[in-house]
Amino acid sequence: MTKKIAIIALLCTVLFAIKSHAQVQDRYFRNISVDKGLSQSSVFAIQQDQLGFIWIGTQDGLNRYDSKGFKVYRPIKGVKNSLQSYYIRSLFKDHKGQLWVGGNQGISVYNYDTDSFVNYKLPRSLGEWYISSITEDNAHRIWATSIAGDVFMLTPEAENFTTIKFNTTLV
């Protein structure tokens, strides 16, 4: 009986050793930085899209990384469907896979077909202001907040964001 237990214990030990050895894998990590084409070293947001691109929001525009290099999107004066903000603080991918970009001039949505942006100007507060967060609810409404506490909502049918006002008076 003890011989059977010893054989089973030995077998389990060998199988465990083989399985645990098989799980050890070499990890490869590539450092990407300004010397590799990143537009700026202060990174505020990162998002991967359905095509595998890594989108990186910085103080100097939006960077798209494809494992070979970067494409940098910045505002272009006079071009209405270029990125509207240099200072990118938030990135969000919605249920359709659209990339939403929050910055110091409002919100932009990337159009994969035209490699351009649809821009939403939002009312700004005085002082430092940028879109700090973007998300989507179950009804597919896009919600955004600013660093100043502003709340904005875009319904699927709407063409512009609505500012959400809260009653802050105490009863």
Side-chain angles (χ1 to χ4, degrees):
M1 181 72 158
T2 54
K3 192 174 183 180
K4 280 185 179 180
I5 292 174
I7 291 173
I8 291 172
L10 180 63
L11 186 60
C12 287
T13 303
V14 170
L15 290 175
F16 177 74
I18 291 171
K19 181 167 175 59
S20 65
H21 178 71
Q23 290 178 351
V24 175
Q25 298 175 2
D26 291 334
R27 301 280 183 205
Y28 179 73
F29 181 79
R30 183 181 306 159
N31 185 18
I32 54 177
S33 60
V34 175
D35 61 328
K36 303 279 192 225
L38 185 64
S39 67
Q40 215 272 336
S41 61
S42 295
V43 172
F44 297 112
I46 300 174
Q47 180 69 249
Q48 185 171 14
D49 68 14
Q50 68 276 7
L51 300 175
F53 292 124
I54 305 292
W55 295 86
I56 303 169
T58 72
Q59 288 184 44
D60 187 27
L62 180 65
N63 297 254
R64 185 181 74 191
Y65 182 68
D66 65 2
S67 82
K68 294 181 180 96
F70 288 94
K71 179 170 183 176
V72 179
Y73 298 88
R74 295 181 179 103
I76 301 170
K77 196 171 193 145
V79 179
K80 75 173 192 156
N81 56 355
S82 70
L83 183 66
Q84 69 179 340
S85 299
Y86 279 103
Y87 194 73
I88 307 303
R89 290 301 294 243
S90 56
L91 297 171
F92 176 72
K93 184 175 65 172
D94 70 11
H95 75 284
K96 295 183 203 172
Q98 292 181 297
L99 181 71
W100 295 79
V101 182
N104 63 329
Q105 298 297 320
I107 296 174
S108 300
V109 181
Y110 181 68
N111 183 323
Y112 286 88
D113 294 331
T114 61
D115 193 30
S116 64
F117 295 86
V118 174
N119 295 306
Y120 297 92
K121 287 278 190 195
L122 302 172
R124 296 179 46 155
S125 303
L126 295 175
E128 184 178 17
W129 186 94
Y130 55 81
I131 296 298
S132 57
S133 180
I134 305 171
T135 193
E136 180 180 28
D137 66 18
N138 291 337
H140 304 304
R141 293 176 295 213
I142 299 296
W143 293 85
T145 59
S146 77
I147 189 174
D150 305 306
V151 178
F152 307 99
M153 180 191 65
L154 179 70
T155 63
E157 312 80 39
E159 292 184 16
N160 290 302
F161 278 84
T162 302
T163 302
I164 306 298
K165 300 284 186 189
F166 294 98
N167 184 358
T168 57
T169 56
L170 297 175
V171 178

